[in-house]
Amino acid sequence: MLHGMKHDYDRLRHALDGMAQRVKEAMHAALQALRRFDAIGASQIIHDDPDINALQQDIEDLTARFISRWQPLLRDLRRVLTLLMVAGELERIGDYAKQIALQVRRAREAGYTPLLTTDLQELGALTEHILTASIAAFLAEDVTAARAVAALDDQVDARRRAILDAARQMALNDIALFDAALASLEITRALERVADRATNIAERTVYLATAAHESLNA
């Protein structure tokens, strides 16, 4: 890259890194709110979600200006567009953190606790690990680490199915637990989608480093 182009690209990468940190913080805070059954903490996550959306919009603007100014050739264009796609994945992960927070706040206000909270916390910890690993792999352009994310994603899917089966059975045996079971189902769905989006980031890492499309969700 030319010196000026590299400066603008580094600025774009820095913006993505900042967004990734905010998203990780939002997910961690959502899981903390779940663990503590903290409606105030959950409300703060919901309140702050527009900030993550704004960071994505900033990256979109920086990307557009980069392409307009430098008209990059294929390799550099691929790098910039990959950053833009990862920003989109991060924005959706921020939305899932917000969804978890909404479930916590609703449950707190209605006076019930999501079922199987210990299992949810364990699933959340695994999902948070996957998210952190996928972001680190992308920023380091580490293909081996990116591919390792897929195996962790399979663990999320298996744990989610177990929680779903258990929560459904509990609600069938006691209809009063329906709302609590539904909250657990919604939280597990959000966590599964976070893991899927993190795996998408891992796939983008492979593409960034090799220019090859490789499905890690098969």
Side-chain angles (χ1 to χ4, degrees):
M1 282 187 180
L2 299 173
H3 177 73
M5 181 188 292
K6 186 177 184 307
H7 176 272
D8 288 352
Y9 177 75
D10 288 344
R11 183 183 178 194
L12 185 54
R13 270 185 59 96
H14 180 73
L16 184 78
D17 188 16
M19 182 182 182
Q21 295 306 313
R22 285 296 301 274
V23 169
K24 287 196 297 181
E25 289 168 3
M27 181 55 58
H28 183 73
L31 295 173
Q32 288 290 94
L34 174 62
R35 183 176 68 83
R36 298 170 179 167
F37 205 38
D38 178 7
I40 295 176
S43 294
Q44 188 63 50
I45 297 161
I46 296 163
H47 177 270
D48 291 345
D49 182 63
D51 294 342
I52 293 176
N53 299 339
L55 291 173
Q56 183 198 17
Q57 292 167 4
D58 289 344
I59 290 172
E60 289 178 351
D61 291 342
L62 287 171
T63 301
R65 288 199 292 270
F66 183 96
I67 293 172
S68 176
R69 179 180 183 184
W70 298 108
Q71 300 181 12
L73 297 178
L74 182 59
R75 181 175 181 275
D76 293 330
L77 180 61
R78 184 179 78 243
R79 297 178 71 85
V80 172
L81 292 180
T82 302
L83 289 176
L84 180 62
M85 289 185 283
V86 168
E89 302 288 358
L90 290 170
E91 189 276 333
R92 292 299 295 138
I93 292 170
D95 286 343
Y96 294 127
K98 176 183 174 181
Q99 288 178 19
I100 294 169
L102 283 167
Q103 291 299 325
V104 171
R105 189 172 71 178
R106 289 169 184 165
R108 182 73 179 183
E109 290 173 349
Y112 61 83
T113 303
L115 298 181
L116 304 164
T117 53
T118 299
D119 299 276
L120 291 175
Q121 290 164 19
E122 291 175 356
L123 179 60
L126 177 58
T127 303
E128 191 174 9
H129 174 65
I130 292 172
L131 175 60
T132 298
S134 68
I135 291 172
F138 181 79
L139 293 175
E141 299 183 23
D142 186 336
V143 173
T144 300
R147 288 176 177 148
V149 168
L152 297 175
D153 183 44
D154 291 340
Q155 292 181 38
V156 168
D157 291 340
R159 291 192 182 199
R160 175 178 182 260
R161 286 192 295 269
I163 293 173
L164 290 179
D165 290 343
R168 285 168 178 160
Q169 190 60 48
M170 293 170 73
L172 285 174
N173 292 335
D174 186 351
I175 193 63
L177 296 177
F178 178 81
D179 288 338
L182 184 60
S184 295
L185 301 185
E186 291 296 329
I187 291 169
T188 57
R189 179 182 179 277
L191 290 171
E192 181 205 25
R193 295 303 296 140
V194 170
D196 287 344
R197 296 284 177 172
T199 304
N200 290 347
I201 293 173
E203 290 177 352
R204 303 298 183 192
T205 303
V206 175
Y207 177 66
L208 177 63
T210 68
H213 293 283
E214 181 175 330
S215 176
L216 301 179
N217 261 324

